[in-house]
Amino acid sequence: MGAALCLLSAACFGAMAIFGKLAYQAGVSPGTLLLVRFSLAAALLGMVLLARQDLRREAPGPPGEPADRPAAARRRLLATAVGLGAVGYATQASLFFSALQLMDASLLSLILYTYPVLVTVAAVLLGRDRLTPGRGGPAAVRRRGRTPRVPRAALVAASCGTLLVLLGAGGVSFHPRGALLAFGAAITYTGYILVADTVVHRLPPVVLSALVMAGAAGTLGARALLTGGVDLDFRMPGWFWLACIAVVSTVLAMLTFFAGLKRTGPSTAAILSTFEPVVTTGLAALTLGESLSAVQLVGGVLVLSSVAVLQVRPARNQDRDAAGPSAPVQLAGQPWRVRR
């Protein structure tokens, strides 16, 4: 059941780029899409939290921190969560949907999915992980209290795969500016994850998601006011695709991921999430007539295989709770999964 929930979540997230393309065809602008998506998602998550009090149960803090956090510390925690949405998530989503205007959904999904590798590289640079030529022995490393290792071969394969995806542009419409925006979205999401690591263990997942959505909606609402308001002059199908993005590819996707994560654990959930770009590519071929060249397909397989290898560090996940929140976490595994 847990694996099925994770796959359903990946499918919901994977369909978002398709919904976005169809919304654009119905006359929806990127700014309107983002504002409606985040506002509706925040409202729906708020209703879920009102209906399910158990989802509001606060997560335990780091060792030594009192169960009842001081009011100032709690305010800082909530402000950080809102700031994640207001700055990081709003920026990442804006870059993603701007790129979606310029390039095919299938290619965009593969470029964006370099972010787990970018997170791993950043973790190495920050001293949270260590490179090793092969799979290494993370369990032994953790027992000795050292920094966990990252297989260097996986990073090399991911880099080669990304190059193949970009250089193999054949059947798809390749747009350099769109590719830059897509990489910008991946880099922004990397920074978002690294900052989210400071609060993810201290807030319930659905509460964190709702705060992030509210923060993003606030930023995009302010931007709309400063730039002349929101353009709602589009056809009725546009509202349908907007609802699909907010309900299916945001709220349902997050709730099913959290439910699957609870049953399978972070490593399995993260590996199953690599199904997401596969869904995007398949749906883009079926509904939008998009296609990837053979070289790009090989590159995509390399990227996704590398992501899967980077997730298979079971000792870090199995011992995380026992080791405490100060222990290194599986950054690339995206257990926070508040997505585009």
Side-chain angles (χ1 to χ4, degrees), residues 6-20 96 100 105-106 109 112-113 248-250 253 273-284 287-288 337 339-340:
C6 290
L7 289 174
L8 175 60
S9 171
C12 291
F13 280 124
M16 180 164 54
I18 311 304
F19 294 150
F96 176 84
L100 188 62
S106 52
S109 69
L112 182 76
Y113 223 79
V248 177
S249 295
T250 304
S273 73
T274 58
F275 185 54
E276 178 185 329
V278 177
V279 171
T280 302
T281 302
L283 289 177
T287 62
L288 303 174
R337 196 57 183 267
R339 290 297 303 278
R340 297 174 299 287

PDB file of all heavy atoms in Angstrom, residues 6-20 96 100 105-106 109 112-113 248-250 253 273-284 287-288 337 339-340:
ATOM      1  N   CYS A   6       3.048   6.112  -2.943  1.00  0.00           N
ATOM      2  CA  CYS A   6       4.183   6.887  -3.447  1.00  0.00           C
ATOM      3  C   CYS A   6       4.127   7.011  -4.964  1.00  0.00           C
ATOM      4  O   CYS A   6       4.416   8.070  -5.531  1.00  0.00           O
ATOM      5  CB  CYS A   6       5.502   6.242  -3.021  1.00  0.00           C
ATOM      6  SG  CYS A   6       5.856   6.367  -1.255  1.00  0.00           S
ATOM      7  N   LEU A   7       3.762   5.928  -5.630  1.00  0.00           N
ATOM      8  CA  LEU A   7       3.649   5.960  -7.089  1.00  0.00           C
ATOM      9  C   LEU A   7       2.501   6.868  -7.525  1.00  0.00           C
ATOM     10  O   LEU A   7       2.612   7.596  -8.521  1.00  0.00           O
ATOM     11  CB  LEU A   7       3.446   4.550  -7.639  1.00  0.00           C
ATOM     12  CG  LEU A   7       4.665   3.625  -7.568  1.00  0.00           C
ATOM     13  CD1 LEU A   7       4.295   2.216  -7.996  1.00  0.00           C
ATOM     14  CD2 LEU A   7       5.802   4.162  -8.436  1.00  0.00           C
ATOM     15  N   LEU A   8       1.392   6.834  -6.783  1.00  0.00           N
ATOM     16  CA  LEU A   8       0.278   7.730  -7.087  1.00  0.00           C
ATOM     17  C   LEU A   8       0.710   9.180  -6.926  1.00  0.00           C
ATOM     18  O   LEU A   8       0.379  10.045  -7.753  1.00  0.00           O
ATOM     19  CB  LEU A   8      -0.908   7.421  -6.174  1.00  0.00           C
ATOM     20  CG  LEU A   8      -2.118   8.358  -6.287  1.00  0.00           C
ATOM     21  CD1 LEU A   8      -2.681   8.345  -7.705  1.00  0.00           C
ATOM     22  CD2 LEU A   8      -3.195   7.970  -5.277  1.00  0.00           C
ATOM     23  N   SER A   9       1.458   9.458  -5.873  1.00  0.00           N
ATOM     24  CA  SER A   9       1.968  10.809  -5.659  1.00  0.00           C
ATOM     25  C   SER A   9       2.864  11.241  -6.815  1.00  0.00           C
ATOM     26  O   SER A   9       2.733  12.353  -7.334  1.00  0.00           O
ATOM     27  CB  SER A   9       2.749  10.863  -4.339  1.00  0.00           C
ATOM     28  OG  SER A   9       3.416  12.100  -4.203  1.00  0.00           O
ATOM     29  N   ALA A  10       3.764  10.363  -7.232  1.00  0.00           N
ATOM     30  CA  ALA A  10       4.660  10.688  -8.347  1.00  0.00           C
ATOM     31  C   ALA A  10       3.873  10.951  -9.623  1.00  0.00           C
ATOM     32  O   ALA A  10       4.202  11.856 -10.397  1.00  0.00           O
ATOM     33  CB  ALA A  10       5.663   9.554  -8.555  1.00  0.00           C
ATOM     34  N   ALA A  11       2.819  10.156  -9.839  1.00  0.00           N
ATOM     35  CA  ALA A  11       1.989  10.357 -11.031  1.00  0.00           C
ATOM     36  C   ALA A  11       1.277  11.709 -10.974  1.00  0.00           C
ATOM     37  O   ALA A  11       1.174  12.417 -11.988  1.00  0.00           O
ATOM     38  CB  ALA A  11       0.980   9.220 -11.159  1.00  0.00           C
ATOM     39  N   CYS A  12       0.785  12.075  -9.790  1.00  0.00           N
ATOM     40  CA  CYS A  12       0.102  13.370  -9.637  1.00  0.00           C
ATOM     41  C   CYS A  12       1.064  14.526  -9.889  1.00  0.00           C
ATOM     42  O   CYS A  12       0.734  15.491 -10.591  1.00  0.00           O
ATOM     43  CB  CYS A  12      -0.497  13.482  -8.242  1.00  0.00           C
ATOM     44  SG  CYS A  12      -1.882  12.375  -7.927  1.00  0.00           S
ATOM     45  N   PHE A  13       2.269  14.439  -9.308  1.00  0.00           N
ATOM     46  CA  PHE A  13       3.270  15.479  -9.542  1.00  0.00           C
ATOM     47  C   PHE A  13       3.688  15.498 -11.007  1.00  0.00           C
ATOM     48  O   PHE A  13       3.882  16.557 -11.609  1.00  0.00           O
ATOM     49  CB  PHE A  13       4.501  15.251  -8.666  1.00  0.00           C
ATOM     50  CG  PHE A  13       4.341  15.718  -7.255  1.00  0.00           C
ATOM     51  CD1 PHE A  13       4.528  14.852  -6.192  1.00  0.00           C
ATOM     52  CD2 PHE A  13       4.018  17.038  -6.971  1.00  0.00           C
ATOM     53  CE1 PHE A  13       4.396  15.280  -4.876  1.00  0.00           C
ATOM     54  CE2 PHE A  13       3.880  17.478  -5.662  1.00  0.00           C
ATOM     55  CZ  PHE A  13       4.072  16.597  -4.611  1.00  0.00           C
ATOM     56  N   GLY A  14       3.828  14.318 -11.605  1.00  0.00           N
ATOM     57  CA  GLY A  14       4.265  14.240 -12.989  1.00  0.00           C
ATOM     58  C   GLY A  14       3.273  14.834 -13.963  1.00  0.00           C
ATOM     59  O   GLY A  14       3.646  15.292 -15.043  1.00  0.00           O
ATOM     60  N   ALA A  15       1.998  14.829 -13.588  1.00  0.00           N
ATOM     61  CA  ALA A  15       0.966  15.375 -14.474  1.00  0.00           C
ATOM     62  C   ALA A  15       0.903  16.895 -14.438  1.00  0.00           C
ATOM     63  O   ALA A  15       0.252  17.508 -15.300  1.00  0.00           O
ATOM     64  CB  ALA A  15      -0.399  14.803 -14.086  1.00  0.00           C
ATOM     65  N   MET A  16       1.597  17.523 -13.486  1.00  0.00           N
ATOM     66  CA  MET A  16       1.443  18.971 -13.317  1.00  0.00           C
ATOM     67  C   MET A  16       1.904  19.753 -14.540  1.00  0.00           C
ATOM     68  O   MET A  16       1.252  20.726 -14.950  1.00  0.00           O
ATOM     69  CB  MET A  16       2.204  19.448 -12.080  1.00  0.00           C
ATOM     70  CG  MET A  16       2.077  20.940 -11.846  1.00  0.00           C
ATOM     71  SD  MET A  16       2.554  21.450 -10.195  1.00  0.00           S
ATOM     72  CE  MET A  16       4.191  20.767 -10.085  1.00  0.00           C
ATOM     73  N   ALA A  17       3.018  19.363 -15.150  1.00  0.00           N
ATOM     74  CA  ALA A  17       3.498  20.083 -16.324  1.00  0.00           C
ATOM     75  C   ALA A  17       2.498  19.966 -17.476  1.00  0.00           C
ATOM     76  O   ALA A  17       2.315  20.907 -18.253  1.00  0.00           O
ATOM     77  CB  ALA A  17       4.866  19.549 -16.749  1.00  0.00           C
ATOM     78  N   ILE A  18       1.844  18.818 -17.589  1.00  0.00           N
ATOM     79  CA  ILE A  18       0.838  18.641 -18.638  1.00  0.00           C
ATOM     80  C   ILE A  18      -0.360  19.546 -18.369  1.00  0.00           C
ATOM     81  O   ILE A  18      -0.865  20.222 -19.268  1.00  0.00           O
ATOM     82  CB  ILE A  18       0.383  17.167 -18.711  1.00  0.00           C
ATOM     83  CG1 ILE A  18       1.596  16.229 -18.740  1.00  0.00           C
ATOM     84  CG2 ILE A  18      -0.511  16.958 -19.921  1.00  0.00           C
ATOM     85  CD1 ILE A  18       2.566  16.504 -19.850  1.00  0.00           C
ATOM     86  N   PHE A  19      -0.830  19.554 -17.117  1.00  0.00           N
ATOM     87  CA  PHE A  19      -1.931  20.448 -16.752  1.00  0.00           C
ATOM     88  C   PHE A  19      -1.557  21.906 -17.052  1.00  0.00           C
ATOM     89  O   PHE A  19      -2.391  22.695 -17.502  1.00  0.00           O
ATOM     90  CB  PHE A  19      -2.281  20.304 -15.276  1.00  0.00           C
ATOM     91  CG  PHE A  19      -2.854  18.958 -14.896  1.00  0.00           C
ATOM     92  CD1 PHE A  19      -2.655  18.433 -13.622  1.00  0.00           C
ATOM     93  CD2 PHE A  19      -3.602  18.218 -15.802  1.00  0.00           C
ATOM     94  CE1 PHE A  19      -3.181  17.198 -13.267  1.00  0.00           C
ATOM     95  CE2 PHE A  19      -4.141  16.991 -15.456  1.00  0.00           C
ATOM     96  CZ  PHE A  19      -3.929  16.470 -14.188  1.00  0.00           C
ATOM     97  N   GLY A  20      -0.302  22.254 -16.758  1.00  0.00           N
ATOM     98  CA  GLY A  20       0.151  23.620 -17.006  1.00  0.00           C
ATOM     99  C   GLY A  20       0.105  23.976 -18.486  1.00  0.00           C
ATOM    100  O   GLY A  20      -0.356  25.065 -18.866  1.00  0.00           O
ATOM    101  N   PHE A  96       9.919  27.532 -12.958  1.00  0.00           N
ATOM    102  CA  PHE A  96       9.444  26.298 -13.595  1.00  0.00           C
ATOM    103  C   PHE A  96       8.361  26.593 -14.627  1.00  0.00           C
ATOM    104  O   PHE A  96       8.433  26.148 -15.774  1.00  0.00           O
ATOM    105  CB  PHE A  96       8.916  25.342 -12.525  1.00  0.00           C
ATOM    106  CG  PHE A  96       8.309  24.084 -13.078  1.00  0.00           C
ATOM    107  CD1 PHE A  96       9.102  22.999 -13.402  1.00  0.00           C
ATOM    108  CD2 PHE A  96       6.938  23.975 -13.273  1.00  0.00           C
ATOM    109  CE1 PHE A  96       8.537  21.834 -13.919  1.00  0.00           C
ATOM    110  CE2 PHE A  96       6.367  22.821 -13.790  1.00  0.00           C
ATOM    111  CZ  PHE A  96       7.176  21.747 -14.112  1.00  0.00           C
ATOM    112  N   LEU A 100       8.178  26.367 -18.699  1.00  0.00           N
ATOM    113  CA  LEU A 100       7.159  25.544 -19.345  1.00  0.00           C
ATOM    114  C   LEU A 100       6.520  26.263 -20.524  1.00  0.00           C
ATOM    115  O   LEU A 100       6.042  25.626 -21.465  1.00  0.00           O
ATOM    116  CB  LEU A 100       6.089  25.153 -18.320  1.00  0.00           C
ATOM    117  CG  LEU A 100       5.036  24.132 -18.760  1.00  0.00           C
ATOM    118  CD1 LEU A 100       5.693  22.800 -19.095  1.00  0.00           C
ATOM    119  CD2 LEU A 100       3.993  23.945 -17.667  1.00  0.00           C
ATOM    120  N   ALA A 105       7.302  19.853 -22.030  1.00  0.00           N
ATOM    121  CA  ALA A 105       7.179  19.395 -20.642  1.00  0.00           C
ATOM    122  C   ALA A 105       8.119  18.238 -20.346  1.00  0.00           C
ATOM    123  O   ALA A 105       8.674  18.140 -19.248  1.00  0.00           O
ATOM    124  CB  ALA A 105       5.734  18.984 -20.368  1.00  0.00           C
ATOM    125  N   SER A 106       8.322  17.334 -21.318  1.00  0.00           N
ATOM    126  CA  SER A 106       9.165  16.164 -21.085  1.00  0.00           C
ATOM    127  C   SER A 106      10.611  16.562 -20.846  1.00  0.00           C
ATOM    128  O   SER A 106      11.263  16.067 -19.910  1.00  0.00           O
ATOM    129  CB  SER A 106       9.066  15.204 -22.278  1.00  0.00           C
ATOM    130  OG  SER A 106       9.304  15.887 -23.495  1.00  0.00           O
ATOM    131  N   SER A 109      11.000  18.349 -17.449  1.00  0.00           N
ATOM    132  CA  SER A 109      10.978  17.455 -16.291  1.00  0.00           C
ATOM    133  C   SER A 109      12.327  16.783 -16.076  1.00  0.00           C
ATOM    134  O   SER A 109      12.758  16.591 -14.934  1.00  0.00           O
ATOM    135  CB  SER A 109       9.884  16.399 -16.457  1.00  0.00           C
ATOM    136  OG  SER A 109      10.216  15.492 -17.495  1.00  0.00           O
ATOM    137  N   LEU A 112      14.792  19.505 -14.729  1.00  0.00           N
ATOM    138  CA  LEU A 112      14.481  19.816 -13.330  1.00  0.00           C
ATOM    139  C   LEU A 112      14.910  18.694 -12.398  1.00  0.00           C
ATOM    140  O   LEU A 112      15.350  18.935 -11.279  1.00  0.00           O
ATOM    141  CB  LEU A 112      12.983  20.073 -13.176  1.00  0.00           C
ATOM    142  CG  LEU A 112      12.586  20.461 -11.746  1.00  0.00           C
ATOM    143  CD1 LEU A 112      12.967  21.898 -11.473  1.00  0.00           C
ATOM    144  CD2 LEU A 112      11.104  20.272 -11.525  1.00  0.00           C
ATOM    145  N   TYR A 113      14.820  17.451 -12.869  1.00  0.00           N
ATOM    146  CA  TYR A 113      15.097  16.331 -11.979  1.00  0.00           C
ATOM    147  C   TYR A 113      16.592  16.111 -11.732  1.00  0.00           C
ATOM    148  O   TYR A 113      17.000  15.106 -11.167  1.00  0.00           O
ATOM    149  CB  TYR A 113      14.442  15.043 -12.501  1.00  0.00           C
ATOM    150  CG  TYR A 113      13.790  14.277 -11.374  1.00  0.00           C
ATOM    151  CD1 TYR A 113      12.553  14.675 -10.894  1.00  0.00           C
ATOM    152  CD2 TYR A 113      14.437  13.224 -10.751  1.00  0.00           C
ATOM    153  CE1 TYR A 113      11.964  14.012  -9.839  1.00  0.00           C
ATOM    154  CE2 TYR A 113      13.859  12.559  -9.690  1.00  0.00           C
ATOM    155  CZ  TYR A 113      12.620  12.954  -9.243  1.00  0.00           C
ATOM    156  OH  TYR A 113      12.043  12.308  -8.187  1.00  0.00           O
ATOM    157  N   VAL A 248      -5.056  17.997  -7.672  1.00  0.00           N
ATOM    158  CA  VAL A 248      -4.392  16.727  -7.997  1.00  0.00           C
ATOM    159  C   VAL A 248      -2.883  16.813  -7.816  1.00  0.00           C
ATOM    160  O   VAL A 248      -2.274  15.985  -7.130  1.00  0.00           O
ATOM    161  CB  VAL A 248      -4.733  16.296  -9.446  1.00  0.00           C
ATOM    162  CG1 VAL A 248      -3.980  15.015  -9.816  1.00  0.00           C
ATOM    163  CG2 VAL A 248      -6.230  16.099  -9.599  1.00  0.00           C
ATOM    164  N   SER A 249      -2.262  17.842  -8.435  1.00  0.00           N
ATOM    165  CA  SER A 249      -0.796  17.910  -8.475  1.00  0.00           C
ATOM    166  C   SER A 249      -0.183  18.657  -7.303  1.00  0.00           C
ATOM    167  O   SER A 249       1.030  18.850  -7.277  1.00  0.00           O
ATOM    168  CB  SER A 249      -0.354  18.560  -9.789  1.00  0.00           C
ATOM    169  OG  SER A 249      -0.703  17.753 -10.883  1.00  0.00           O
ATOM    170  N   THR A 250      -0.997  19.106  -6.374  1.00  0.00           N
ATOM    171  CA  THR A 250      -0.445  19.768  -5.186  1.00  0.00           C
ATOM    172  C   THR A 250      -0.951  19.077  -3.918  1.00  0.00           C
ATOM    173  O   THR A 250      -0.193  18.396  -3.232  1.00  0.00           O
ATOM    174  CB  THR A 250      -0.807  21.262  -5.174  1.00  0.00           C
ATOM    175  OG1 THR A 250      -0.359  21.872  -6.387  1.00  0.00           O
ATOM    176  CG2 THR A 250      -0.129  21.967  -4.006  1.00  0.00           C
ATOM    177  N   ALA A 253      -1.205  15.119  -4.291  1.00  0.00           N
ATOM    178  CA  ALA A 253       0.163  14.612  -4.468  1.00  0.00           C
ATOM    179  C   ALA A 253       0.938  14.641  -3.157  1.00  0.00           C
ATOM    180  O   ALA A 253       1.644  13.681  -2.817  1.00  0.00           O
ATOM    181  CB  ALA A 253       0.879  15.431  -5.535  1.00  0.00           C
ATOM    182  N   SER A 273       9.784   7.968  -6.274  1.00  0.00           N
ATOM    183  CA  SER A 273       9.451   9.282  -6.815  1.00  0.00           C
ATOM    184  C   SER A 273      10.111   9.529  -8.166  1.00  0.00           C
ATOM    185  O   SER A 273       9.710  10.455  -8.889  1.00  0.00           O
ATOM    186  CB  SER A 273       9.852  10.382  -5.829  1.00  0.00           C
ATOM    187  OG  SER A 273      11.257  10.546  -5.810  1.00  0.00           O
ATOM    188  N   THR A 274      11.127   8.731  -8.523  1.00  0.00           N
ATOM    189  CA  THR A 274      11.744   8.887  -9.845  1.00  0.00           C
ATOM    190  C   THR A 274      10.775   8.496 -10.956  1.00  0.00           C
ATOM    191  O   THR A 274      11.066   8.685 -12.139  1.00  0.00           O
ATOM    192  CB  THR A 274      13.027   8.041  -9.967  1.00  0.00           C
ATOM    193  OG1 THR A 274      12.711   6.665  -9.726  1.00  0.00           O
ATOM    194  CG2 THR A 274      14.074   8.488  -8.962  1.00  0.00           C
ATOM    195  N   PHE A 275       9.620   7.949 -10.588  1.00  0.00           N
ATOM    196  CA  PHE A 275       8.563   7.653 -11.555  1.00  0.00           C
ATOM    197  C   PHE A 275       7.955   8.944 -12.110  1.00  0.00           C
ATOM    198  O   PHE A 275       7.326   8.935 -13.177  1.00  0.00           O
ATOM    199  CB  PHE A 275       7.489   6.809 -10.856  1.00  0.00           C
ATOM    200  CG  PHE A 275       6.378   6.321 -11.741  1.00  0.00           C
ATOM    201  CD1 PHE A 275       6.640   5.607 -12.895  1.00  0.00           C
ATOM    202  CD2 PHE A 275       5.046   6.573 -11.415  1.00  0.00           C
ATOM    203  CE1 PHE A 275       5.616   5.154 -13.706  1.00  0.00           C
ATOM    204  CE2 PHE A 275       4.011   6.120 -12.209  1.00  0.00           C
ATOM    205  CZ  PHE A 275       4.302   5.409 -13.365  1.00  0.00           C
ATOM    206  N   GLU A 276       8.151  10.046 -11.408  1.00  0.00           N
ATOM    207  CA  GLU A 276       7.518  11.316 -11.784  1.00  0.00           C
ATOM    208  C   GLU A 276       7.880  11.788 -13.194  1.00  0.00           C
ATOM    209  O   GLU A 276       6.976  12.046 -14.014  1.00  0.00           O
ATOM    210  CB  GLU A 276       7.874  12.388 -10.757  1.00  0.00           C
ATOM    211  CG  GLU A 276       7.317  13.756 -11.057  1.00  0.00           C
ATOM    212  CD  GLU A 276       7.804  14.790 -10.067  1.00  0.00           C
ATOM    213  OE1 GLU A 276       8.058  14.445  -8.900  1.00  0.00           O
ATOM    214  OE2 GLU A 276       7.925  15.955 -10.473  1.00  0.00           O
ATOM    215  N   PRO A 277       9.185  11.937 -13.543  1.00  0.00           N
ATOM    216  CA  PRO A 277       9.482  12.380 -14.909  1.00  0.00           C
ATOM    217  C   PRO A 277       9.080  11.368 -15.967  1.00  0.00           C
ATOM    218  O   PRO A 277       8.844  11.736 -17.122  1.00  0.00           O
ATOM    219  CB  PRO A 277      10.998  12.617 -14.889  1.00  0.00           C
ATOM    220  CG  PRO A 277      11.497  11.857 -13.725  1.00  0.00           C
ATOM    221  CD  PRO A 277      10.393  11.841 -12.728  1.00  0.00           C
ATOM    222  N   VAL A 278       9.021  10.088 -15.591  1.00  0.00           N
ATOM    223  CA  VAL A 278       8.540   9.069 -16.537  1.00  0.00           C
ATOM    224  C   VAL A 278       7.080   9.340 -16.885  1.00  0.00           C
ATOM    225  O   VAL A 278       6.668   9.266 -18.055  1.00  0.00           O
ATOM    226  CB  VAL A 278       8.712   7.658 -15.942  1.00  0.00           C
ATOM    227  CG1 VAL A 278       8.155   6.603 -16.890  1.00  0.00           C
ATOM    228  CG2 VAL A 278      10.184   7.379 -15.639  1.00  0.00           C
ATOM    229  N   VAL A 279       6.284   9.676 -15.869  1.00  0.00           N
ATOM    230  CA  VAL A 279       4.873  10.001 -16.095  1.00  0.00           C
ATOM    231  C   VAL A 279       4.750  11.244 -16.968  1.00  0.00           C
ATOM    232  O   VAL A 279       3.955  11.287 -17.917  1.00  0.00           O
ATOM    233  CB  VAL A 279       4.153  10.212 -14.745  1.00  0.00           C
ATOM    234  CG1 VAL A 279       2.756  10.775 -14.964  1.00  0.00           C
ATOM    235  CG2 VAL A 279       4.067   8.896 -13.981  1.00  0.00           C
ATOM    236  N   THR A 280       5.547  12.278 -16.651  1.00  0.00           N
ATOM    237  CA  THR A 280       5.495  13.510 -17.440  1.00  0.00           C
ATOM    238  C   THR A 280       5.798  13.233 -18.912  1.00  0.00           C
ATOM    239  O   THR A 280       5.095  13.700 -19.812  1.00  0.00           O
ATOM    240  CB  THR A 280       6.502  14.536 -16.899  1.00  0.00           C
ATOM    241  OG1 THR A 280       6.216  14.801 -15.525  1.00  0.00           O
ATOM    242  CG2 THR A 280       6.413  15.840 -17.679  1.00  0.00           C
ATOM    243  N   THR A 281       6.864  12.458 -19.148  1.00  0.00           N
ATOM    244  CA  THR A 281       7.265  12.160 -20.526  1.00  0.00           C
ATOM    245  C   THR A 281       6.186  11.356 -21.247  1.00  0.00           C
ATOM    246  O   THR A 281       5.857  11.638 -22.406  1.00  0.00           O
ATOM    247  CB  THR A 281       8.593  11.385 -20.537  1.00  0.00           C
ATOM    248  OG1 THR A 281       9.598  12.161 -19.866  1.00  0.00           O
ATOM    249  CG2 THR A 281       9.059  11.101 -21.955  1.00  0.00           C
ATOM    250  N   GLY A 282       5.622  10.359 -20.570  1.00  0.00           N
ATOM    251  CA  GLY A 282       4.590   9.541 -21.180  1.00  0.00           C
ATOM    252  C   GLY A 282       3.331  10.330 -21.492  1.00  0.00           C
ATOM    253  O   GLY A 282       2.764  10.230 -22.593  1.00  0.00           O
ATOM    254  N   LEU A 283       2.879  11.142 -20.523  1.00  0.00           N
ATOM    255  CA  LEU A 283       1.676  11.943 -20.744  1.00  0.00           C
ATOM    256  C   LEU A 283       1.901  13.007 -21.818  1.00  0.00           C
ATOM    257  O   LEU A 283       0.993  13.320 -22.596  1.00  0.00           O
ATOM    258  CB  LEU A 283       1.244  12.610 -19.436  1.00  0.00           C
ATOM    259  CG  LEU A 283       0.651  11.691 -18.366  1.00  0.00           C
ATOM    260  CD1 LEU A 283       0.340  12.484 -17.094  1.00  0.00           C
ATOM    261  CD2 LEU A 283      -0.619  11.012 -18.881  1.00  0.00           C
ATOM    262  N   ALA A 284       3.120  13.571 -21.860  1.00  0.00           N
ATOM    263  CA  ALA A 284       3.416  14.576 -22.883  1.00  0.00           C
ATOM    264  C   ALA A 284       3.349  13.966 -24.277  1.00  0.00           C
ATOM    265  O   ALA A 284       2.881  14.603 -25.229  1.00  0.00           O
ATOM    266  CB  ALA A 284       4.799  15.178 -22.637  1.00  0.00           C
ATOM    267  N   THR A 287      -0.630  13.251 -24.890  1.00  0.00           N
ATOM    268  CA  THR A 287      -1.572  14.366 -24.963  1.00  0.00           C
ATOM    269  C   THR A 287      -1.060  15.557 -25.762  1.00  0.00           C
ATOM    270  O   THR A 287      -1.852  16.313 -26.327  1.00  0.00           O
ATOM    271  CB  THR A 287      -1.935  14.862 -23.550  1.00  0.00           C
ATOM    272  OG1 THR A 287      -0.745  15.345 -22.896  1.00  0.00           O
ATOM    273  CG2 THR A 287      -2.532  13.741 -22.724  1.00  0.00           C
ATOM    274  N   LEU A 288       0.257  15.750 -25.788  1.00  0.00           N
ATOM    275  CA  LEU A 288       0.806  16.936 -26.435  1.00  0.00           C
ATOM    276  C   LEU A 288       1.620  16.618 -27.684  1.00  0.00           C
ATOM    277  O   LEU A 288       2.091  17.536 -28.362  1.00  0.00           O
ATOM    278  CB  LEU A 288       1.694  17.713 -25.441  1.00  0.00           C
ATOM    279  CG  LEU A 288       1.017  18.145 -24.128  1.00  0.00           C
ATOM    280  CD1 LEU A 288       2.041  18.759 -23.189  1.00  0.00           C
ATOM    281  CD2 LEU A 288      -0.109  19.132 -24.407  1.00  0.00           C
ATOM    282  N   ARG A 337       9.150  16.999   0.434  1.00  0.00           N
ATOM    283  CA  ARG A 337       8.372  16.907  -0.801  1.00  0.00           C
ATOM    284  C   ARG A 337       7.251  17.938  -0.898  1.00  0.00           C
ATOM    285  O   ARG A 337       6.118  17.615  -1.180  1.00  0.00           O
ATOM    286  CB  ARG A 337       7.817  15.508  -0.942  1.00  0.00           C
ATOM    287  CG  ARG A 337       7.314  15.183  -2.354  1.00  0.00           C
ATOM    288  CD  ARG A 337       8.425  15.376  -3.353  1.00  0.00           C
ATOM    289  NE  ARG A 337       7.945  15.151  -4.700  1.00  0.00           N
ATOM    290  CZ  ARG A 337       8.000  13.986  -5.339  1.00  0.00           C
ATOM    291  NH1 ARG A 337       8.542  12.935  -4.776  1.00  0.00           N
ATOM    292  NH2 ARG A 337       7.563  13.862  -6.565  1.00  0.00           N
ATOM    293  N   ARG A 339       6.339  20.310  -3.342  1.00  0.00           N
ATOM    294  CA  ARG A 339       6.880  20.376  -4.673  1.00  0.00           C
ATOM    295  C   ARG A 339       6.349  21.526  -5.502  1.00  0.00           C
ATOM    296  O   ARG A 339       5.573  22.327  -5.037  1.00  0.00           O
ATOM    297  CB  ARG A 339       6.620  19.054  -5.387  1.00  0.00           C
ATOM    298  CG  ARG A 339       7.459  17.920  -4.812  1.00  0.00           C
ATOM    299  CD  ARG A 339       8.933  18.170  -4.987  1.00  0.00           C
ATOM    300  NE  ARG A 339       9.259  18.373  -6.377  1.00  0.00           N
ATOM    301  CZ  ARG A 339       9.453  17.399  -7.244  1.00  0.00           C
ATOM    302  NH1 ARG A 339       9.400  16.160  -6.869  1.00  0.00           N
ATOM    303  NH2 ARG A 339       9.719  17.653  -8.491  1.00  0.00           N
ATOM    304  N   ARG A 340       6.729  21.524  -6.757  1.00  0.00           N
ATOM    305  CA  ARG A 340       6.523  22.647  -7.647  1.00  0.00           C
ATOM    306  C   ARG A 340       5.077  23.069  -7.686  1.00  0.00           C
ATOM    307  O   ARG A 340       4.338  22.848  -8.556  1.00  0.00           O
ATOM    308  CB  ARG A 340       6.984  22.296  -9.046  1.00  0.00           C
ATOM    309  CG  ARG A 340       8.477  22.013  -9.082  1.00  0.00           C
ATOM    310  CD  ARG A 340       8.922  21.520 -10.403  1.00  0.00           C
ATOM    311  NE  ARG A 340       8.285  20.282 -10.784  1.00  0.00           N
ATOM    312  CZ  ARG A 340       8.564  19.095 -10.248  1.00  0.00           C
ATOM    313  NH1 ARG A 340       9.453  19.002  -9.302  1.00  0.00           N
ATOM    314  NH2 ARG A 340       7.944  18.011 -10.630  1.00  0.00           N
TER     315      ARG A 340
END
